[in-house]
Amino acid sequence: ELKMPQYITDIDVSVNEAEQHQLRKHGFTQVHVNLNPEGKGNTIYLWYKTSDCPAITRIQFSFTDKMKEGLVTEGYHKVDKNLNTGNSGSPIYLWFYKGSSQYDVPIVELDLSTDAGADATKVQPLWERLPCDLNRRAGGNWIYLWVKRETQTYICDINATLNSSSDANLFRQGYIRMDEDTNRDAGGAYVFLWYRQTTDSQKAIKDLQVSTDQESKESYENQNYEKVEINLNEGTLGTPVYLYYKKNECSKDPIKMITLILDPTAVLPYINAGVEVVEKNLNEGNSGFREYLCFN
């Protein structure tokens, strides 16, 4: 008989042993990584269920009230458990959505990485890394969620927002928000990058560049790069930072994954894993986190 594909169809979180027991009883599978740093706060685990029901296609995180607004409007399901329960980190919540648009591709597997060096080895076809550190502001390891899709996706559109007013609209259009602020700790606006995926490599973006000065800005414009109109350094004292992309670049492969690196020790392992790290600090000229955009 034909075996139905198994998709991730439910995600939950346990913040104590009683909840672990309940989820196990209800057929959930545990991802064996404690989401809290050693000795800080509760022992927290991520759980998922697979079936042949409609698949989860998008996962988002929120760590501010503003980040929740568009998710609520668009009917994303919130897992109402703070991933930083019991510690002083940002209150992080996981949200998921089962979409059926051309930009939605079923998620079939989840994984967590807990160290930068090992992190880069997960850069494989079908996998993407969500850029929210699940230990955000809690100290301890950098923990990232990786999702594997049923078929290979490519980045076909890229966008940026300065506040949450257009979030709902972008979620509705099939965009995934990159849940880390490109102005992190720099003062200024909360700036988020967004991308949309396609299974058609012909529609893919082939190259991404970042300008941190007037000269590079002019250079990319002269080479017919498209510019994302939002200054990724908006409201800080730093240099204006812009993202540029190009689709019609014959010499380059279609981009499959895009993520952010905030851990300086991750840069080299990522480069060694064949990932393009754009070594232009998204917080150029201010005292915020050094952040790099990278893509595969």
Side-chain angles (χ1 to χ4, degrees), residues 103-175:
Y103 305 108
D104 285 286
V105 176
I107 293 172
V108 294
E109 230 176 291
L110 299 177
D111 201 358
L112 289 160
S113 61
T114 56
D115 106 45
D119 203 3
T121 62
K122 295 190 191 296
V123 179
Q124 309 267 351
L126 305 176
W127 286 91
E128 72 205 59
R129 169 189 180 272
L130 306 186
C132 181
D133 171 20
L134 303 186
N135 259 344
R136 199 173 192 279
R137 303 225 183 286
N141 290 2
W142 299 82
I143 299 184
Y144 290 101
L145 179 63
W146 292 71
V147 303
K148 184 185 186 182
R149 298 200 179 268
E150 181 183 34
T151 46
Q152 184 62 59
T153 55
Y154 305 93
I155 307 294
C156 58
D157 296 290
I158 197 145
N159 219 314
T161 52
L162 273 186
N163 56 42
S164 53
S165 62
S166 51
D167 285 11
N169 201 13
L170 287 172
F171 286 132
R172 193 173 312 131
Q173 291 171 35
Y175 276 89

Side-chain angles (χ1 to χ4, degrees), residues 17 20 27 75 79 88 92 116 118 125 128-129 144 171 175 207 238 281:
E17 284 196 10
Q20 289 177 38
V79 180
S88 57
I92 299 176
E128 72 205 59
R129 169 189 180 272
Y144 290 101
F171 286 132
Y175 276 89
D207 196 25
N281 180 13

Side-chain angles (χ1 to χ4, degrees), residues 42 60 69 82 84 107 177 187 195 211 228 242 249 288 296:
N42 300 37
Q60 298 287 167
E69 291 170 5
N82 175 9
N84 271 330
I107 293 172
R177 180 178 63 200
Y195 60 82
S211 71
V228 177
Y242 288 100
E249 185 59 73
N296 188 34

Side-chain angles (χ1 to χ4, degrees), residues 9-24:
T9 49
D10 203 1
I11 296 174
D12 215 327
V13 170
S14 64
V15 298
N16 57 43
E17 284 196 10
E19 290 178 3
Q20 289 177 38
H21 181 72
Q22 278 302 101
L23 289 170
R24 201 169 277 121

Side-chain angles (χ1 to χ4, degrees), residues 191-247:
V191 182
F192 291 103
L193 290 169
W194 300 66
Y195 60 82
R196 207 154 56 166
Q197 296 172 312
T198 176
T199 52
D200 179 356
S201 62
Q202 300 301 307
K203 294 181 180 158
I205 289 174
K206 302 283 187 68
D207 196 25
L208 290 166
Q209 297 291 344
V210 171
S211 71
T212 52
D213 57 36
Q214 194 54 34
E215 194 183 347
S216 57
K217 199 165 166 276
E218 284 167 14
S219 159
Y220 298 134
E221 282 162 16
N222 292 341
Q223 296 170 62
N224 296 320
Y225 278 82
E226 308 266 345
K227 176 180 164 196
V228 177
E229 283 304 330
I230 287 196
N231 171 11
L232 303 185
N233 230 342
E234 185 65 43
T236 76
L237 300 171
T239 322
V241 173
Y242 288 100
L243 182 60
Y244 288 86
Y245 64 93
K246 206 180 216 184
K247 286 194 172 183

